[in-house]
Amino acid sequence: MKLVLATRNIGKVYELTAMLNTSHPHQNIQLLSLQDFPNAPEVIEDGDTYEENAAKKAVVISDYTGHRTLADDAGLEVDALDGAPGIHSKRWAGEDATDTIRVQKMLLALKGEENRNARFVAAIAIAEPMTKHNEHDPNTLKQKRSYITDRVQVVIGKCEGHITHTPAGNSGFGYDPIFVPSGYEKTFAELGDVIKNQISHRCEALRLALKIL
């Protein structure tokens, strides 16, 4: 079975591939990503929830590639910021911001704040490509104005923790250098990929998504 990972983020591709291979090492899944489809359309993440963004990416890319597609949308929710940046985590510091800039903006936003509780949230959607059977279904995407249909399933994973005062660690990506998961004393970036891929929000969501696969 071919499964397309709907992302160009090398860090996500590596992370999801490692998780899938660890969870289902004997499963006959040929993993592809948008690196294999350089002309795939850019999907605008304009949904109001992680679920909507993940579902939209999964449906658009599955229709483009003709293969079952897995897409995710994730974000960091910080209690002291009323849940921000949330679904805007990637673009919170600007469209072209680097991970370093995002981290620094977060630390500045929490300067002097005692409550540093936060959580990572991930939605993973798995969509089937359009077929003759569902192409003219009355519940088409345009009519429903929603990408969450009977051919896409979405699951949610969370990882509770807190934000540190200074970055630490060199692995991972995004906000990993300043996020310490509950029950640990090191950041995701310090814990490394092996441990992170066992306890992360994306891992929890992927465990649920594997039941769909």
Side-chain angles (χ1 to χ4, degrees):
M1 176 185 72
K2 291 183 178 180
L3 178 66
V4 179
L5 305 179
T7 181
R8 291 184 174 86
N9 184 316
I10 299 300
K12 277 189 183 182
V13 172
Y14 175 81
E15 193 170 277
L16 287 167
T17 300
M19 289 180 191
L20 284 166
N21 289 337
T22 299
S23 302
H24 276 51
H26 304 298
Q27 190 85 0
N28 186 25
I29 299 177
Q30 180 184 352
L31 293 176
L32 303 170
S33 76
L34 295 187
Q35 302 294 325
D36 300 292
F37 300 94
N39 296 320
E42 289 288 343
V43 182
I44 299 174
E45 298 177 22
D46 54 0
D48 295 325
T49 64
Y50 302 109
E51 294 96 328
E52 289 178 6
N53 284 336
K56 181 178 182 180
K57 285 189 284 187
V59 168
V60 171
I61 298 303
S62 68
D63 287 347
Y64 176 80
T65 64
H67 300 301
R68 180 178 292 182
T69 295
L70 182 153
D72 85 305
D73 189 44
L76 178 66
E77 299 180 349
V78 181
D79 288 352
L81 302 179
D82 297 324
I87 62 172
H88 305 294
S89 294
K90 183 179 179 181
R91 297 171 294 279
W92 187 53
E95 287 291 339
D96 300 319
T98 64
D99 287 345
T100 299
I101 292 174
R102 295 185 188 101
V103 165
Q104 290 303 320
K105 179 173 181 177
M106 178 60 67
L107 293 178
L108 284 173
L110 293 180
K111 188 174 181 179
E113 180 62 55
E114 293 184 6
N115 178 10
R116 305 181 78 85
N117 292 334
R119 70 205 50 80
F120 272 120
V121 182
I124 286 183
I126 296 178
E128 303 294 337
M130 186 73 78
T131 64
K132 291 181 180 180
H133 173 72
N134 60 30
E135 188 173 3
H136 302 292
D137 189 281
N139 292 325
T140 56
L141 303 181
K142 288 184 179 180
Q143 290 172 345
K144 288 187 70 175
R145 291 197 169 188
S146 171
Y147 285 85
I148 300 179
T149 70
D150 58 355
R151 65 188 179 98
V152 57
Q153 298 183 64
V154 188
V155 294
I156 290 285
K158 296 183 180 182
C159 182
E160 298 286 339
H162 70 269
I163 304 299
T164 62
H165 290 273
T166 56
N170 298 312
S171 67
F173 58 95
Y175 298 93
D176 286 356
I178 56 172
F179 181 83
V180 176
S182 297
Y184 292 81
E185 297 181 354
K186 294 182 178 181
T187 68
F188 267 163
E190 291 178 294
L191 290 172
D193 294 336
V194 174
I195 295 178
K196 178 188 175 184
N197 291 348
Q198 295 173 353
I199 64 173
S200 75
H201 51 304
R202 196 169 281 111
C203 177
E204 181 180 339
L206 190 59
R207 287 193 186 104
L208 298 173
L210 285 172
K211 297 178 181 179
I212 300 172
L213 289 176

